[in-house]
Amino acid sequence: MITSKIIALGILKATGVLVGIALLLYFLYLIQNVLIYLIISLILTLIGNPIIDFFKRRLKFKHLFATIATLLIFISLIVGFIMMFVPLIMAQGQNLSLLNTTTIENNLTTLISQIAAFLESHNIDSAKLFKENDIISKFNFNYISDFINLILNALSSFGMGLASVLFITFFFLKDRVLFIIGAKKLIPDSHEEQTLNSFNKINSLLSRYFIGLLLQLFIVFVLYLIVLLIFGIDNAFVIAFLCAVLNIIPYVGPLIGSILAATLTMISNINSDFQTQTLPLTLYVLIGFFIVQLIDNNLSQPFIFSKSVSSHPLEIFLVILIAGFLFGIVGMIIAVPLFTILKVFSKEFYPENKIVQLFTKNI
């Protein structure tokens, strides 16, 4: 029989659980930087594991030396990137008038006036439309400058984070066997084999995925840069870099990058004749970016999404779309790795399920 004492105890227990969850979430919020370091270190570990295996299997390195060699490769790549690109990006970023919100608004006001005049010359009453809808006042120009400043500031002040990430990554790589042994002690004996097999498959699939993703971003960056340099666009490096970074967001990122490149191209040529110079140049850049996306969509992405994580392109598209609706941009970015993890665990623990068999037949 349910008494008032039992009900009170249940309410207290539920309240305690909710308070505990709230405190845990608050604690995670306070250490969010540490969590970011751990996630980045885990990604580097997944990328580094095949490199360590190569050193140990082909070059007969001991595990410690293979770990150090792998970490030195990471450091060399990071230092090389900094030496090659960051000073140029920072210098061009400082020169970009887009870093000033007032300048953005003034330039875009001028640009819209030029567009309106161009359409007026073709018997389209767009100037009245712009004025009636008050487009400039409805657009938050801080988004553009905040986005650019966020990336530039991250590049210019990530020393402490980089040191922390490399330190954590070193021990993730060096002591991965110890982590596996520790995990075995926490895993129930009845599920030990399935869990360890899942971890091995996840490590293999996500290692290939992240390596492929880095390669894709580099290829897109180079192609964007070539397009911008061909047409003589100012600040080509920083624009190509920003658009390549946006490519991390599946499907939506390239579209945003193209719009950003077109906007920056028009604003950087704000003093040129709109009809004969600015508009044709912007169209050429958009066509170039469209060609880059055709190359990326038909070569890079199918290889990464289909081959590396063993999933059909339509399957990946639907997963990213659903994740985007539920969790926004962050959901779209983590959709593929998380879906891969769920597929692997499902196959190991529910191999007889018909739906699981359908989605995991290639794993």
Side-chain angles (χ1 to χ4, degrees):
M1 183 176 180
I2 300 176
T3 64
S4 58
K5 183 177 180 180
I6 295 175
I7 294 174
L9 288 174
I11 293 174
L12 286 175
K13 184 177 179 181
T15 304
V17 171
L18 291 175
V19 171
I21 293 173
L23 290 174
L24 177 62
L25 292 175
Y26 179 67
F27 175 72
L28 294 177
Y29 171 76
L30 293 178
I31 63 167
Q32 56 183 307
N33 287 339
V34 177
L35 295 177
I36 292 172
Y37 296 160
L38 288 171
I39 292 171
I40 295 174
S41 298
L42 181 59
I43 292 172
L44 289 177
T45 302
L46 292 172
I47 296 172
N49 280 330
I51 302 174
I52 286 182
D53 293 338
F54 172 81
F55 281 129
K56 292 170 66 175
R57 186 174 60 253
R58 297 294 179 86
L59 303 181
K60 307 301 180 184
F61 279 22
K62 292 185 177 180
H63 183 71
L64 178 60
F65 291 117
T67 302
I68 294 172
T70 302
L71 206 62
L72 287 175
I73 290 175
F74 286 152
I75 294 173
S76 299
L77 290 173
I78 293 170
V79 171
F81 177 83
I82 293 172
M83 296 297 292
M84 289 177 62
F85 296 112
V86 172
L88 182 59
I89 291 172
M90 291 298 296
Q92 292 193 353
Q94 295 299 325
N95 292 330
L96 271 179
S97 60
L98 295 175
L99 294 178
N100 184 287
T101 305
T102 304
T103 306
I104 298 174
E105 186 166 357
N106 292 335
N107 285 343
L108 278 178
T109 301
T110 304
L111 179 62
I112 290 176
S113 297
Q114 291 178 351
I115 295 173
F118 170 75
L119 295 176
E120 285 278 349
S121 67
H122 290 76
N123 300 319
I124 300 175
D125 191 12
S126 59
K128 182 180 177 182
L129 178 64
F130 287 140
K131 291 176 182 177
E132 287 180 351
N133 290 280
D134 200 13
I135 292 175
I136 298 297
S137 64
K138 294 179 181 178
F139 188 82
N140 189 349
F141 300 96
N142 287 312
Y143 289 148
I144 300 176
S145 59
D146 288 349
F147 172 73
I148 295 175
N149 282 317
L150 176 66
I151 294 178
L152 295 177
N153 290 334
L155 291 173
S156 62
S157 60
F158 77 132
M160 180 63 184
L162 177 62
S164 301
V165 166
L166 291 175
F167 184 79
I168 296 170
T169 303
F170 173 75
F171 286 102
F172 276 0
L173 291 169
K174 184 178 80 70
D175 297 329
R176 60 178 179 175
V177 175
L178 294 178
F179 289 133
I180 293 174
I181 293 173
K184 284 184 178 180
K185 294 179 180 179
L186 298 175
I187 300 169
D189 293 337
S190 58
H191 298 301
E192 180 177 319
E193 184 179 356
Q194 295 102 315
T195 304
L196 293 178
N197 286 339
S198 298
F199 283 139
N200 289 331
K201 289 182 180 179
I202 289 169
N203 177 67
S204 175
L205 290 172
L206 293 188
S207 295
R208 288 188 295 167
Y209 172 75
F210 286 116
I211 291 173
L213 183 61
L214 290 176
L215 179 61
Q216 180 209 14
L217 295 180
F218 178 74
I219 292 172
V220 169
F221 165 74
V222 172
L223 293 176
Y224 280 158
L225 181 61
I226 291 173
V227 170
L228 295 171
L229 290 176
I230 286 175
F231 297 112
I233 304 300
D234 293 334
N235 308 306
F237 270 84
V238 69
I239 295 174
F241 178 78
L242 293 173
C243 293
V245 170
L246 284 168
N247 244 60
I248 294 176
I249 308 171
Y251 306 115
V252 177
L255 177 61
I256 298 174
S258 298
I259 295 172
L260 178 64
T263 304
L264 296 181
T265 299
M266 287 190 288
I267 291 179
S268 64
N269 291 273
I270 197 71
N271 296 320
S272 302
D273 182 74
F274 181 80
Q275 182 169 348
T276 60
Q277 293 180 295
T278 304
L279 181 59
L281 185 62
T282 304
L283 291 176
Y284 294 150
V285 169
L286 286 175
I287 292 171
F289 272 49
F290 177 71
I291 293 172
V292 170
Q293 286 308 310
L294 283 179
I295 295 172
D296 182 49
N297 292 335
N298 290 284
L299 295 177
S300 303
Q301 286 192 16
F303 174 78
I304 293 171
F305 293 153
S306 300
K307 302 297 181 182
S308 62
V309 296
S310 302
S311 297
H312 192 277
L314 179 59
E315 182 182 346
I316 293 296
F317 174 78
L318 292 175
V319 167
I320 291 173
L321 191 64
I322 293 170
F325 278 122
L326 293 177
F327 306 107
I329 298 296
V330 175
M332 297 180 74
I333 295 173
I334 67 172
V336 175
L338 185 60
F339 181 60
T340 302
I341 292 171
L342 292 175
K343 284 177 63 175
V344 171
F345 275 113
S346 298
K347 182 167 186 177
E348 286 295 328
F349 285 92
Y350 306 102
E352 303 301 325
N353 186 282
K354 298 295 183 180
I355 297 177
V356 171
Q357 290 176 359
L358 177 65
F359 280 98
T360 62
K361 60 182 178 180
N362 294 324
I363 295 180

